Amino acid sequence: MVTIERFDPAGADLGGYHAVLVASQAADRPEEPPLPLAEVAGRLAKPLPGMGPAAHWVARRGDDVVAFAGVHFLDAENSGIGLTDVVVHPGIRRSGIGTALLRAVLPELRARGRKSVEGWQVVAGSDGERWAEARGFRRVRTIERLALVVDETDPACWDVPVPPGYRLRRWAGAAPEDVLGSYAVARGAIHDAPLGDSGFRWPEWTAERVRAAEAEARAQGLVQHLVVAVHEETGTVAGLTEVCVHPRRPDWGYQRDTAVVAAHRGRGLGRCVKADMVRWLLAERPGLRWISTNTGAENTHMIRVNREVGFVTQAAMIAVRQELSRLV
Ligand SMILES: CC(C)(COP(=O)(O)OP(=O)(O)OC[C@H]1O[C@@H](n2cnc3c(N)ncnc32)[C@H](O)[C@@H]1OP(=O)(O)O)[C@@H](O)C(=O)NCCC(=O)NCCS
């Protein structure tokens, strides 16, 4: 018999939870190295910045964890969304456990005022997509998951000159005061990145929100690396790219936003800042082996830039969504 219960990861034995995750990853995303236990434990203890608070459930057969569900209650612009991930061990799928877990999380989603449920970790064409469809979710976005595998990439990809009229600036951690204002404006250029029919909205960046996000990243031990292109004539930030690294996973870089202000597009700045980021990271962190990123499939410019600096598509992912009121 399978039982479902709320799960508090603090102080829990995460071995069974991790085993389900690794088995599921091997079935659905075999091209990616498995998430180490310490990484899973770290994420459960402190969700990544911007994810909001989380709640967890597990399904057990006897004492063994066979499946789990996690919900992130996104905040600010996205406080209507319950970002939900349901994972069932591949050896025990199609026995109603995924559906039972989804049913178990619904009261909490309602209690926290969520209007819609979204899942962003579904591999296109996988069990997950077919299940989501059967449960009434609709596909709202197609996403390419790409990785730059350092040992398999020609370093010539990172040899990109800075376009005339610009200079590059790098920092780790907090943005320098003198560029904070224009950096916050430049971050807003991410609003032009397509989101399909997802209810997700990019943050309205201000200097205060930049500082708050930096504090959140710091509190979680994440090191934010920024490369920005500064427009020489005005001294303002014209484009940026961010990669985060966590000391518990020194071989891995998490690509976050890359954005170029509309007036500065078409001059190769995106490629230039991304290439410089790789050069910088490799010089500073020789143990780095992978940089992973997700890009909207319709965002052809970003995908081209990613390929030019050596990113290779690993998997096609989809985001799914359903209104909570229709999931009763
Ligand atoms: C998605 C997932 C959680 C489903 O778990 P599950 O316990 O197998 O799902 P259920 O048994 O509740 O399936 C309910 C119904 O969904 C449909 N379904 C599920 N998997 C399916 C598949 N591979 N092919 C066709 N239909 C499927 C069926 O209609 C099924 O009912 P049936 O078995 O009576 O025909 C599981 O496949 C998984 O862990 N996938 C990887 C993670 C993932 O993609 N999660 C997505 C949700 S965010």
Side-chain angles (χ1 to χ4, degrees), residues 24 28 84-88 93-99 119 121-122 126-128 130-131 134-135:
S24 181
D28 297 321
T84 302
D85 202 15
V86 181
V87 177
V88 177
R93 289 182 184 168
R94 297 299 291 270
S95 53
I97 300 172
T99 303
Q121 295 289 332
V122 186
S126 71
D127 290 347
R130 291 185 279 267
W131 173 79
R135 298 285 65 116

Side-chain angles (χ1 to χ4, degrees), residues 9-326:
D13 174 4
L14 298 174
Y17 182 104
H18 179 245
V20 170
L21 180 60
V22 168
S24 181
Q25 207 187 341
D28 297 321
R29 276 153 60 173
E31 59 291 329
E32 254 180 59
L35 270 180
L37 176 59
E39 177 64 23
V40 174
R43 287 189 194 183
L44 285 170
K46 285 182 182 170
L48 294 172
M51 300 288 277
H56 304 277
W57 289 258
V58 290
R60 291 182 197 274
R61 193 165 52 180
D63 287 338
D64 297 335
V65 175
V66 292
F68 61 82
V71 180
H72 285 92
F73 301 96
L74 303 185
D75 51 22
E77 290 84 357
N78 299 305
S79 51
I81 301 175
L83 184 59
T84 302
D85 202 15
V86 181
V87 177
V88 177
H89 191 288
I92 195 177
R93 289 182 184 168
R94 297 299 291 270
S95 53
I97 300 172
T99 303
L101 276 164
L102 177 64
R103 194 175 293 125
V105 311
L106 294 181
E108 187 71 21
L109 287 163
R110 274 186 221 111
R112 300 231 202 173
R114 302 294 132 167
K115 300 282 175 276
S116 65
V117 185
E118 295 204 16
W120 296 349
Q121 295 289 332
V122 186
V123 177
S126 71
D127 290 347
E129 178 168 11
R130 291 185 279 267
W131 173 79
E133 207 178 304
R135 298 285 65 116
F137 287 84
R138 66 186 190 282
R139 180 197 281 231
V140 288
R141 245 192 120 190
T142 307
I143 301 144
E144 271 195 39
R145 185 157 175 79
L146 302 107
L148 188 156
V149 184
V150 173
D151 297 336
E152 295 172 9
T153 311
D154 179 357
C157 293
W158 312 319
D159 197 5
V160 178
V162 183
Y166 300 89
R167 70 188 141 83
L168 299 186
R169 195 161 167 186
R170 301 165 168 176
W171 67 79
E177 242 351 282
D178 64 308
V179 286
L180 178 60
S182 74
Y183 167 61
V185 171
R187 288 210 75 123
I190 195 72
H191 284 258
D192 295 336
L195 290 169
D197 278 333
S198 165
F200 177 78
R201 292 292 162 264
W202 300 109
E204 293 296 338
W205 288 107
T206 60
E208 294 70 33
R209 286 188 77 171
V210 166
R211 288 292 186 237
E214 289 171 350
E216 197 185 350
R218 230 176 5 254
Q220 295 173 19
L222 271 178
V223 184
Q224 291 177 279
H225 290 77
L226 265 299
V227 175
V228 303
V230 176
H231 183 225
E232 305 255 36
E233 199 182 311
T234 57
T236 59
V237 173
L240 61 99
T241 191
E242 175 183 353
V243 171
C244 282
V245 179
H246 199 288
R248 69 178 170 238
R249 211 179 181 196
D251 60 337
W252 203 280
Y254 301 92
Q255 174 75 58
R256 291 164 65 91
D257 292 0
T258 298
V260 176
V261 174
H264 299 279
R265 287 181 192 154
R267 295 172 203 181
L269 288 177
R271 183 166 162 234
C272 169
V273 289
K274 287 200 84 151
D276 189 66
M277 173 65 81
V278 181
R279 288 199 303 271
W280 179 30
L281 286 173
L282 290 181
E284 192 157 285
R285 299 177 175 271
L288 193 86
R289 288 287 154 270
W290 279 67
I291 304 175
S292 62
T293 189
N294 295 319
T295 306
E298 68 273 57
N299 197 344
T300 45
H301 297 303
M302 195 69 248
I303 289 177
R304 198 193 63 240
V305 166
N306 280 329
R307 298 231 167 94
E308 283 167 353
V309 293
F311 282 86
V312 173
T313 300
Q314 303 281 305
M317 311 284 292
I318 61 167
V320 297
R321 170 182 174 180
Q322 180 53 291
E323 305 324 305
L324 184 56
S325 58
R326 303 180 72 174

